[in-house]
Amino acid sequence: LDAPLPFYLTSDKKSFAWPSVVERYPIILTQAIDDMHRTISSLPADSPKLPEGKKIIAGIAALKHEEQHDRVLTPLPDDGDADVKDYNDELKYWNEREGREITWFSGPWLYVECYLYRRLHSLFAQSEHWKSYDLFHRQKTDTFRSSAAAVNELAVRFGELVRDLESHKGLTRDAEAQKLLFLEMAQISLWGNATDLSLLTNLSYEDIQKLQGKEAIAKSAANILVNNLDKAWGFISQLKGGRIDFVLDNAGFELFADLIFATYLLETNHAQTIVLHPKDFGWFVSDVLPADVAHCFSQLRDSTFFTPEDRSAMDFLIERWMEHYAEGRIVIRPNHFWTTGHSYWRLPTCAPELHADLQESDLVIFKGDLNFRKLTGDAMWPRTTPWTNAIGPLATSGLRTLSLRTAKADVMVGLREGLEEELDQKDTKWAVNGKFAVVFYHDAKK
Ligand code: F6P
Ligand code: MG
């Protein structure tokens, strides 16, 4: 149940996989060690966490050594988590498929990268006092703090939007303005995943009202290589009181942007329920853990964390979110499948209950790059491959899906003939630098 093509391998020097294993992962592990040192340095000398913390540091250092020396991937120890067998069976599967023991620098990139975070997690799972410690919390927090300007702006924008919807003036009546508003909100969520936030659409209330927002939207839409947002609007515009799921990606600014999009869907009554799918443990550094949602609220509330330009706009937004959350319209639903190494080609077979739950949803939104890699199996598709071929079983799975992705890894599909060559001429890093995006909508409920 895998894509019938070779996968991106970490040995592929032309792909972003190679600098990832050679440079990026050792840096991530070094930062992890640094984080642990900082945490244990503030513990009292007699803390029971101290000896265990030191043991974890030694474990991360050993993992870094294995990684940098291109050792074979070893089975996970039985650390008590339910997914150990699953990871180890998959490792066996790859070893058999490749006819050799795969190593850090010569394995399928998707599996190797997931395995890295699972190995890190194992060190904490085996401890007594560090089980729920988030190794990447500091980094996530620092990055969020540095996006203060964009956060402030969106908070103000959101306040205007809700007030406008409530007064039932202007926007709500005009079909064209409604569509522009949807495009703006969806693009805020899309570009929230970018490395370069300058691409975020910035519409003022007046812009939208006068429909001048078209220009700003068109400008940032120019970097969206395939854009199915019109199709998605075709569905959402007629949806009333539905359920919309977000398979989340990163904490901090992206989560903030996703919550703005989600709240827009609730406030306009297109959705009655929003289901958020976070990760179970520190994942690809910045991914959302359940606790990050609460952190996001408390950081926004804390005037020493962000100095809000408009405290009342921020408070209004938080109050609104808390209300939706308290009344069960925003739900957080973890599932261990999201932190396996499986591509979503295997969702129906490896996670049938999760699949059945997602079938209940009116629309499942997959955020970000890793979700896109999993949707397409991280296989070396010709870049003009139709979306419905690239997502395999999900094309006929009974799910209605929307993938919002800024491109940070090599896999890419759905491009029109000749576009890849045009992009190569302009920018050799176009596929991985996070400046370009793709939006795919597919309705497999029909
Ligand atoms: O491109 C670097 C990388 O770590 C990829 O390996 C991974 O797919 C991606 O970034 C994660 O990005 P995102 O947070 O958008 O899923
Ligand atoms: Mg991520």
Side-chain angles (χ1 to χ4, degrees), residues 3 96 141 156 202 210 297 426:
E96 277 162 23
T141 303
V156 173
N202 263 324
K210 294 186 209 138
F297 293 158
K426 274 194 240 157

Side-chain angles (χ1 to χ4, degrees), residues 147 150 191-201 253:
S147 54
W191 292 114
N193 177 253
T195 39
D196 177 4
L197 291 179
S198 68
L199 294 158
L200 212 64
T201 321
F253 185 74

Side-chain angles (χ1 to χ4, degrees), residues 6 72 115 157 169 231 250 346 373 382 420:
V72 300
Y115 172 88
R157 174 78 189 94
K169 271 186 271 154
K231 277 197 208 165
N250 303 315
R346 301 179 185 169
R373 289 172 64 194
E420 178 181 6

Side-chain angles (χ1 to χ4, degrees), residues 249-250 284 286-287:
D249 187 2
N250 303 315
F284 286 65
S286 41
D287 279 33

